[in-house]
Amino acid sequence: MNNGKPDGADTHRGELAEALSGVAESLSGSPRLTGGQIVVRQIGEHPATFVISEVDGTLSVADTQGMVDDADARVEILGDGQVLAAILRGDQDARDAFLAGGIRVRGDLRYFSDLAVAARILPTPL
Amino acid sequence: MAETTGLVQRLTVGSSVSCVWIGPNPNNTTLLVVSDNGMAADVAFAASLVQTLASAATNYRSVAAIHGNNSSTITALRVDPV
């Protein structure tokens, strides 16, 4: 905090967390969900790690403070928090942002593609 | 620089950008891209990368794709001997 205002870390972390929560809410109950954790890592000056987990068809977003076992991730996404948040909100095209650089995606890409299409982040499957 | 190794699980060739999934199995891959800046030398290099990836895919050869730590664009490619 700085003079009562959130600093860059809090702002970026909150922005991405809010965007992730919005997507998680839209995907909850979707038949596309088949289990496994989705790990989203905010890279850069203020790193953060969020884990999206499914419990009984409902997705929840947790800020893990960096404490997450990579082996548990079915899909892992890394990138700048502001860019990722913009993509999740639909303010920025996912493909354009990915090709511009700074974003990495790994894991079960077919599952990622299915969820991204269901969440309307991607217009067509990868 | 980072290095992603594995088999070429999928290769999608586009007019300006090609995407490749590299990893040990189809459910565990990294999404990488081959692109160019439009300059003749860069276009030729990108075409060479795509051809090498395609060859590795059809011959089940493991590759090592070099890219930036926070980038998915392949800058170099290595095919190790069997």
Side-chain angles (χ1 to χ4, degrees):
Chain A
M1 300 288 286
N2 183 16
N3 293 329
K5 296 180 181 179
D7 60 17
D10 292 335
T11 301
H12 296 157
R13 185 190 299 267
E15 187 177 357
L16 181 55
E18 186 177 338
L20 287 171
S21 294
V23 172
E25 187 175 342
S26 70
L27 286 177
S28 289
S30 169
R32 300 287 188 179
L33 296 174
T34 56
Q37 291 184 333
I38 300 171
V39 176
V40 180
R41 298 188 189 277
Q42 175 176 303
I43 61 175
E45 188 178 350
H46 305 292
T49 302
F50 301 92
V51 175
I52 305 173
S53 306
E54 178 191 355
V55 177
D56 296 330
T58 300
L59 291 180
S60 62
V61 180
D63 186 340
T64 67
Q65 303 294 325
M67 303 295 290
V68 63
D69 185 351
D70 288 351
D72 293 335
R74 184 173 180 182
V75 175
E76 186 178 8
I77 304 163
L78 303 90
D80 177 84
Q82 282 187 300
V83 174
L84 292 177
I87 292 171
L88 294 173
R89 289 192 305 261
D91 297 337
Q92 190 168 355
D93 181 78
R95 290 181 192 271
D96 290 346
F98 182 79
L99 294 175
I103 298 175
R104 291 176 60 185
V105 183
R106 56 192 180 197
D108 189 341
L109 294 184
R110 196 176 301 276
Y111 182 58
F112 165 77
S113 176
D114 288 344
L115 293 184
V117 171
R120 301 189 179 187
I121 295 171
L122 290 176
T124 56
L126 287 178
Chain B
M1 302 301 285
E3 192 172 288
T4 297
T5 60
L7 298 174
V8 177
Q9 300 291 346
R10 173 185 282 193
L11 176 63
T12 304
V13 181
S15 57
S16 59
V17 175
S18 295
C19 295
V20 59
W21 300 13
I22 295 176
N25 58 68
N27 294 331
N28 185 10
T29 58
T30 297
L31 177 62
L32 298 173
V33 296
V34 176
S35 62
D36 61 78
N37 60 12
M39 304 295 286
D42 212 46
V43 171
F45 176 64
S48 177
L49 283 179
V50 172
Q51 288 179 345
T52 304
L53 288 167
S55 177
T58 54
N59 290 286
Y60 301 101
R61 294 292 298 276
S62 179
V63 300
I66 292 87
H67 51 89
N69 288 331
N70 298 321
S71 172
S72 297
T73 301
I74 298 175
T75 57
L77 188 68
R78 187 180 73 244
V79 182
D80 291 326
V82 177

